[in-house]
Amino acid sequence: MKTKASLNEQDYLHSFMSTMTQKSDTIINYVLAAYFFLGIGLSFKYDTFEIGVGVGTLNLLMYYSAKLLLKKSNFYQYVLSVVLAIFMAQYIYQMHGLFEMHFTVFIASTILIIYQNWKLQIPLTLLVVIHHAGLAYMQNFVYQDPNGLQIYFSQVNFDIETLIIHVILAAVVFFMNGYWAYYFKEHSQNHISKISDEYELENIKLASAKYSSLSATKEYNDLVHRTTLDLKLPVSSVLKLIDVSKGHTDNDQLLSYLEMMRDSAKKIDDLVNDIHVKSTNSRG
C-alpha cells in the first residue's frame, strides 16, 4: 500500500473529486428546489405562506451566497447541511408539530452522502439536537397555555425519555450516513490508487521496451558501421589493383575483363560508402 500519492495520482484524484462535486452540486440544485416548493405546498395547510416563502428564500440565499463567494472552498457544503436542518424546522412549524415532518432530516442526512464528506453530518446533528432539545423544553415547560403563544414542535407527548430516544436514533442514522460517506471516499481513493499503480506499471513496461529497442538499434548500427569500415579497405585495394593491372597489359580482352571487374568493384564500393554514411548518421 502506498503511503503517499504520486503526482499523477493526485491530479487524477483531484479531477475525479471535482467532477463528483460538480455532479453533486447539480443534484443539490434540484433537491433545494424541491425543498423550497415543498415549503410552499405545506403553506396551504395552516396558511403559513410567510414562513414557506420567507424562510425558504433565506435558505436559498444563504446557500448560493456561500457557494458564490467562496468558490474555491467546500464551506458551502457545510452551509448546505445547516440549510437542510432549517428546512426541517420550517416544515415542523408549518405543519404545527406533525411528527412525520421530523423524518425529513433523515432524507437530508442521506442526501449529504453524495459529497463523500462525513463531516457534513456534524452541523446537521448539532442543529437537530439544539432544535429538538430547545423546542421540546419550551413546548412542555414554558408555553403550556393552550390559549397563549404556541410552540409548534410535536403533536405527541415529547418528554425527556422520548427526546433521548429520538436523539439517539437520529444520531445512529447520522453516524451511519457519515460512515457511508467516509467509506465511499476511501473506496474511490483506493480505486484511483489502483488505477494509478497499473498506469505507472504500464509506463515502466513501455519505457523498458523502448530502452531495449533503442539499445538493439544502437547495437545494430554499431555492427553495420564496423562492417562497412572493414569492407571499405579491401574494396579500395581491389580497385587500385585493377587500375595497376590495366597499366601492365595491352591485351584488349584482358583489359575488357579488368574493366568489367572494376565496374563491379566500384558498385560495391559505392554501396559500402552509402551504408557507411547512413550508419554514421544513425549513430550520431
Side-chain angles (χ1 to χ4, degrees), residues 103-266:
F103 296 129
T104 58
V105 75
F106 299 137
I107 299 174
S109 176
T110 305
I111 289 171
L112 292 175
I113 295 177
I114 61 176
Y115 284 107
Q116 299 183 19
N117 181 5
W118 68 269
K119 295 178 182 178
L120 297 182
Q121 301 293 331
I122 296 177
L124 188 67
T125 303
L126 292 177
L127 261 71
V128 168
V129 172
I130 295 172
H131 170 266
H132 281 47
L135 269 70
Y137 174 78
M138 286 191 291
Q139 178 174 292
N140 292 329
F141 299 103
V142 180
Y143 299 100
Q144 295 179 306
D145 184 2
N147 298 320
L149 182 64
Q150 296 297 307
I151 296 296
Y152 298 117
F153 172 65
S154 176
Q155 294 178 355
V156 299
N157 183 29
F158 212 90
D159 53 18
I160 297 298
E161 182 180 351
T162 304
L163 174 64
I164 293 175
I165 295 175
H166 192 86
V167 169
I168 290 176
L169 292 178
V172 171
V173 174
F174 298 154
F175 175 80
M176 292 302 300
N177 287 336
Y179 169 78
W180 282 116
Y182 172 80
Y183 172 80
F184 289 140
K185 184 175 182 179
E186 287 294 306
H187 178 75
S188 299
Q189 290 178 340
N190 292 335
H191 183 65
I192 290 172
S193 179
K194 182 179 179 181
I195 293 175
S196 177
D197 287 341
E198 294 175 353
Y199 177 74
E200 290 179 3
L201 181 60
E202 288 299 320
N203 281 343
I204 292 173
K205 290 180 179 179
L206 290 173
S208 178
K210 183 178 180 180
Y211 176 77
S212 299
S213 176
L214 290 174
S215 298
T217 302
K218 184 178 183 302
E219 292 176 0
Y220 174 77
N221 289 333
D222 290 341
L223 175 63
V224 172
H225 185 75
R226 290 194 301 268
T227 302
T228 55
L229 288 176
D230 293 339
L231 289 174
K232 282 174 67 67
L233 182 59
V235 172
S236 178
S237 299
V238 169
L239 287 172
K240 290 180 181 180
L241 180 60
I242 292 174
D243 290 337
V244 171
S245 298
K246 288 173 65 177
H248 290 80
T249 182
D250 293 330
N251 189 307
D252 292 338
Q253 187 174 6
L254 182 57
L255 288 172
S256 175
Y257 290 152
L258 290 173
E259 185 63 29
M260 291 175 60
M261 291 176 60
R262 192 182 190 287
D263 288 342
S264 297
K266 186 66 172 62

Side-chain angles (χ1 to χ4, degrees), residues 23-77:
K23 292 182 178 180
S24 300
D25 288 345
T26 300
I27 294 173
I28 289 300
N29 289 335
Y30 292 106
V31 170
L32 290 177
Y35 265 62
F36 177 78
F37 286 112
L38 175 59
I40 300 298
L42 296 178
S43 300
F44 289 93
K45 178 65 175 178
Y46 293 107
D47 193 21
T48 56
F49 288 98
E50 296 84 355
I51 300 298
V53 176
V55 176
T57 301
L58 289 176
N59 278 337
L60 297 183
L61 287 175
M62 191 188 312
Y63 169 75
Y64 287 107
S65 296
K67 186 177 180 181
L68 181 64
L69 295 176
L70 301 171
K71 295 181 179 180
K72 296 183 179 181
S73 171
N74 65 345
F75 177 74
Y76 73 95
Q77 297 172 14

Side-chain angles (χ1 to χ4, degrees), residues 81-118:
S81 179
V82 173
V83 164
L84 293 176
I86 295 175
F87 267 120
M88 172 210 64
Q90 171 190 324
Y91 298 156
I92 292 174
Y93 177 82
Q94 285 186 275
M95 296 302 292
H96 285 194
L98 182 65
F99 198 78
E100 286 74 8
M101 291 295 101
H102 291 248
F103 296 129
T104 58
V105 75
F106 299 137
I107 299 174
S109 176
T110 305
I111 289 171
L112 292 175
I113 295 177
I114 61 176
Y115 284 107
Q116 299 183 19
N117 181 5
W118 68 269

